[in-house]
């Protein structure tokens, strides 16, 4: 990384510290949100008897006439999340960071999550902003965000994700 880029990253990190202080949150509770913002994806962490989880949603706005659009990323940070309800079953392949290959798992299509504290971060690529707002529990998620909630809560409660390895699939050739 070049000097100027490193300097910008350090300045950004110092601003993060200021924001965390303004929100009156312990620094380590902010980690899953920072990981989602910096590296993408959903994250979870058990830290000092607290369960922390960040879940990312993507919302794309597209103008068909101008053929241009943008994708907002909304990341929710949960402190001690609780799965209040789940509905449906979706069979899907997942790759977890602690495993090398994907596995077939079952996830709910819809979940409702409660939490002691929820922070919403909206990342706008056009304005280059990350807007933070405290939101109230419970929240409902469907589709890929619901799968993320289920996956991360499974990590928080059971540690490892268990599924059917992809190598148990069979190749078939259609005529």
């Amino acid at each position: 990384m070049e000097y100027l880029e490193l300097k910008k990253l350090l300045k950004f990190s110092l601003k993060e510290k200021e924001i965390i202080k303004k929100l009156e949150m312990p620094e380590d509770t902010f980690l899953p949100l920072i990981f989602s913002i910096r590296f993408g994806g959903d994250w979870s962490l058990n830290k000092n008897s607290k369960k922390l989880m960040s879940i990312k949603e993507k919302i794309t706005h597209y103008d068909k006439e101008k053929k241009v659009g943008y994708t907002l990323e909304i990341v929710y940070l949960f402190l001690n999340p609780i799965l209040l309800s789940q509905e449906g079953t979706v069979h899907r392949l997942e790759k977890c960071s602690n495993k090398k290959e994907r596995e077939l798992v079952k996830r709910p299509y819809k979940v409702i999550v409660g939490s002691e504290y929820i922070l919403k971060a909206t990342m706008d690529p056009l304005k280059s902003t990350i807007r933070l707002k405290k939101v109230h529990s419970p929240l409902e998620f469907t589709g890929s965000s619901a799968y993320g909630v289920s996956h991360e809560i499974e990590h928080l409660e059971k540690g490892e994700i268990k599924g059917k390895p992809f190598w148990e699939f069979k190749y078939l050739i259609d005529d």
Side-chain angles (χ1 to χ4, degrees):
M1 184 177 285
E2 292 185 31
Y3 173 76
L4 290 177
E5 288 299 308
L6 183 58
K7 191 175 173 180
K8 288 178 187 178
L9 177 59
L10 290 172
K11 185 178 177 181
F12 181 82
S13 296
L14 287 173
K15 289 290 182 187
E16 276 179 337
K17 274 186 94 103
E18 287 176 23
I19 292 294
I20 293 166
K21 194 172 185 176
K22 282 183 184 179
L23 291 169
E24 299 176 345
M25 296 173 65
E27 285 186 35
D28 55 358
T29 60
F30 214 69
L31 279 174
L33 180 71
I34 289 172
F35 289 173
S36 287
I37 288 170
R38 291 184 181 206
F39 310 119
D42 305 320
W43 294 84
S44 58
L45 175 68
N46 281 313
K47 183 76 174 166
N48 300 332
S49 74
K50 291 181 180 155
K51 293 181 179 185
L52 308 163
M53 172 177 81
S54 63
I55 300 298
K56 187 173 81 168
E57 288 186 316
K58 295 178 186 177
I59 301 171
T60 299
H61 299 276
Y62 185 73
D63 184 324
K64 290 180 182 178
E65 291 178 17
K66 294 180 183 176
K67 298 193 182 315
V68 86
Y70 64 99
T71 299
L72 288 176
E73 289 189 9
I74 301 171
V75 181
Y76 295 92
L77 174 65
F78 295 87
L79 173 60
N80 294 324
I82 300 168
L83 191 58
L84 299 173
S85 70
Q86 54 186 0
E87 178 182 301
T89 301
V90 175
H91 301 262
R92 64 188 309 265
L93 287 165
E94 288 183 356
K95 163 71 174 77
C96 188
S97 62
N98 62 356
K99 295 200 177 177
K100 294 179 183 177
E101 295 90 14
R102 298 192 309 160
E103 294 180 332
L104 177 64
V105 297
K106 293 179 187 177
R107 296 282 176 223
Y109 177 74
K110 176 178 152 183
V111 297
I112 297 177
V113 186
S115 187
E116 287 178 23
Y117 182 91
I118 305 172
L119 185 66
K120 177 182 176 182
T122 304
M123 301 173 61
D124 187 326
L126 295 181
K127 297 177 183 173
S128 296
T129 58
I130 304 170
R131 299 185 69 79
L132 301 172
K133 180 182 180 181
K134 184 179 178 189
V135 294
H136 299 284
S137 180
L139 294 181
E140 178 181 304
F141 295 95
T142 58
S144 61
S145 298
Y147 315 147
V149 168
S150 176
H151 180 104
E152 297 307 329
I153 286 183
E154 189 171 338
H155 273 304
L156 291 170
E157 293 177 355
K158 299 177 185 172
E160 191 174 352
I161 305 295
K162 300 264 188 212
K164 178 180 178 181
F166 79 92
W167 57 79
E168 292 183 17
F169 282 50
K170 297 174 189 170
Y171 278 106
L172 303 173
I173 298 175
D174 291 334
D175 294 331

